[in-house]
Amino acid sequence: MQRAADFATVAQRLDTTLQHRTDAPVANAPLAKRIVGHALLLGIAGDVLLRDLPVGLAFPVWIALLVLAMTAAASSAGREISREAASWLATAILFSCGLAWRDSRTLVPLDLVATLGALGMAAIALSNASAALLAARFRDTVWAAAALARTVAAGFLPIAVRELFATETRRRVAPRIRPAVRSLVIAASLLVVFGSLLRDADPIFASLVTLPRLDIGTIISHVVVIAFYAWMVIGWERGALVIDVGRLRAPEALPFGLSVLDITTALGTLNVLFTAFVGTQLGWFFGGEAFLRARTGLTASAYARQGFFEMLWVVLLVMPLLVATRAALHPGRALERRHTALSIPVIALLGAILLSAAMRMKLYVHYFGLTTERLYPLVFMGWLGIVLVWLALTVLRGRGRPFIAGVALAGLAVLTALNVAAPDAFVARYNLLRARHTGRDAVTVLDFRNIADL
């Protein structure tokens, strides 16, 4: 008897453990069916509108349908769409219109990324507003984004296993499906057997029942496209309305910590290195081409051709390094003040490096003309300058929460300005004005290797 009681206790604990591990939020049957229905309709619409590439007017139309489906599903589930979620949905529609508005090799991918990112942030804001862009910690937003990505990748499977094909659903639906399947099998068998005999017996009857010719390859391709878009829509709506993508918080602390010596060594090294580099730039700032020839043997045009992107990479890599080291500090106000005191010179030197890169690109444009491949890096540098200032005003003052939000909003604002300004047209106008002022033909003042960018 005692063994039987012990076995029952163990079985009960095992059942409780399994139930706890599989206890995940699931949709009720009406919501699950509604999500699947939206996904199928949007999958068909995706096959019709986006079968080749997500470009032109078809893409914003499909995104608008997706937003309407999400709004309807949220309303039916009794979920209120917050201002942040509504703003992200509107942002997705706005940048999807950029694919129809501007036919640019650079702007189209950027608008597409902005659209998908806005949809992802909208889903996170609907699922758990505390894990969205204005989360207390950026790592919580990263965790929520990773959970949403897993949900989108899972697609139809969780809803199918936990809701549509759940035990209660099977018990309710099975008595209706079995007779229908049995009747279908009986009718198909009789049609195949006797229909084939009668078709061979009379050519007139055979002409009436001739099966249409089907292109199996085309049918399969349509099914694959529909399934792909439907799969993504199910995962996206489920991540927004069914599960809480922000319920699993990121670790409270990073797996490593930095001491005073670590911070002093790292940031002090960067300060010394960047100071030496900026000092070398002062020579050609003030000495011009004569200094370049004496020091390097290069002309100004040859000097302008190199080093630009390497300087951008330096700035782009050091900024997350400053943010990461701030997050990894051991607790203590003294250590934070040391980090701020050493980071401010680094940011100032990064600004000088950005200025040097901009001056070098300006020199390059002076000799070889402007192309879109040279305009976009200049715009990108402007955005980096904004990020540097914002980093100093937020992270280095102990207010890291608004930093990422400001970076994202500044990036979206710059991308909006690019869509409005039409960079390709701006480049063409600039080169025509340059040709008019130099008194030479417009083609002769351009770099022929990049003339196709116009």
Side-chain angles (χ1 to χ4, degrees):
M1 293 293 293
Q2 182 64 32
R3 290 183 178 179
D6 294 341
F7 178 78
T9 303
V10 172
Q12 184 177 4
R13 291 178 179 176
L14 179 62
D15 180 69
T16 303
T17 302
L18 292 175
Q19 183 177 3
H20 175 72
R21 290 183 178 180
T22 58
D23 184 20
V26 295
N28 52 42
L31 179 58
K33 293 177 181 178
R34 190 170 290 107
I35 290 176
V36 173
H38 290 169
L40 291 176
L41 292 176
L42 287 167
I44 296 172
D47 180 61
V48 174
L49 298 172
L50 309 176
R51 181 171 178 77
D52 297 323
L53 286 174
V55 295
L57 188 60
F59 186 65
V61 170
W62 191 81
I63 293 296
L65 293 175
L66 180 65
V67 171
L68 287 175
M70 173 64 80
T71 304
S75 177
S76 63
R79 300 285 294 274
E80 182 181 357
I81 298 180
S82 63
R83 291 183 179 180
E84 183 178 357
S87 299
W88 284 117
L89 292 174
T91 301
I93 295 177
L94 174 65
F95 284 103
S96 68
C97 294
L99 277 74
W101 190 16
R102 299 299 184 195
D103 185 15
S104 169
R105 292 180 301 175
T106 305
L107 278 182
V108 166
L110 292 176
D111 288 333
L112 181 60
V113 171
T115 301
L116 298 179
L119 291 175
M121 292 307 304
I124 294 174
L126 280 169
S127 176
N128 190 332
S130 63
L133 192 62
L134 294 177
R137 302 179 306 172
F138 175 60
R139 70 188 78 166
D140 292 331
T141 304
V142 174
W143 246 247
L148 178 64
R150 291 193 299 269
T151 304
V152 173
F156 176 75
L157 295 178
I159 283 183
V161 173
R162 295 174 181 169
E163 190 57 49
L164 294 182
F165 299 151
T167 303
E168 296 181 0
T169 304
R170 290 199 302 268
R171 290 176 182 174
R172 186 174 62 254
V173 176
R176 303 177 183 177
I177 293 181
R178 290 172 183 172
V181 173
R182 186 167 57 249
S183 301
L184 182 62
V185 171
I186 293 173
S189 301
L190 294 176
L191 287 173
V192 169
V193 174
F194 294 103
S196 60
L197 292 175
L198 294 175
R199 186 173 179 275
D200 293 337
D202 186 78
I204 300 176
F205 180 76
S207 65
L208 296 177
V209 297
T210 300
L211 296 177
R213 293 182 179 181
L214 301 177
D215 188 346
I216 302 300
T218 302
I219 293 176
I220 292 176
S221 67
H222 283 285
V223 171
V224 169
V225 172
I226 292 173
F228 171 77
Y229 286 109
W231 189 279
M232 296 296 104
V233 171
I234 286 178
W236 182 65
E237 287 199 6
R238 179 173 174 267
L241 302 176
V242 178
I243 69 172
D244 183 358
V245 296
R247 63 190 179 92
L248 296 178
R249 297 291 181 180
E252 292 298 326
L254 296 179
F256 61 91
L258 299 178
S259 63
V260 175
L261 181 60
D262 298 327
I263 291 297
T264 304
T265 302
L267 299 184
T269 301
L270 291 180
N271 275 304
V272 172
L273 178 63
F274 293 165
T275 300
F277 180 81
V278 171
T280 61
Q281 301 302 293
L282 297 178
W284 79 268
F285 277 176
F286 299 104
E289 189 166 2
F291 175 84
L292 290 175
R293 286 184 179 275
R295 192 71 180 176
T296 64
L298 297 174
T299 63
S301 60
Y303 180 75
R305 286 180 178 272
Q306 58 188 14
F308 173 81
F309 291 102
E310 286 78 2
M311 287 187 285
L312 282 185
W313 272 112
V314 168
V315 178
L316 196 60
L317 292 174
V318 171
M319 286 192 299
L321 178 64
L322 293 177
V323 175
T325 53
R326 187 75 176 199
L329 293 179
H330 288 307
R333 293 291 301 172
L335 190 55
E336 291 181 359
R337 288 193 294 268
R338 173 65 63 88
H339 184 274
T340 300
L342 292 173
S343 296
I344 289 177
V346 171
I347 290 179
L349 292 169
L350 288 177
I353 292 175
L354 270 181
L355 179 61
S356 176
M359 294 294 293
R360 194 172 297 191
M361 179 58 74
K362 180 182 178 182
L363 191 63
Y364 195 22
V365 171
H366 172 74
Y367 283 101
F368 302 105
L370 183 64
T371 65
T372 54
E373 291 180 349
R374 297 161 195 168
L375 176 63
Y376 283 111
L378 287 171
V379 174
F380 182 66
M381 277 192 298
W383 175 74
L384 285 180
I386 296 173
V387 173
L388 278 176
V389 175
W390 188 239
L391 189 150
L393 294 176
T394 55
V395 175
L396 298 187
R397 298 178 64 186
R399 297 186 299 178
R401 177 177 181 178
F403 172 68
I404 296 300
V407 170
L409 294 178
L412 293 176
V414 170
L415 184 56
T416 302
L418 285 173
N419 278 282
V420 173
D424 298 88
F426 176 82
V427 168
R429 288 193 299 267
Y430 176 88
N431 285 304
L432 290 174
L433 289 174
R434 180 170 176 263
R436 183 182 303 171
H437 285 92
T438 57
R440 289 181 290 171
D441 183 73
V443 177
T444 62
V445 299
L446 301 178
D447 187 347
F448 284 92
R449 293 173 301 174
N450 297 292
I451 194 172
D453 294 334
L454 296 180

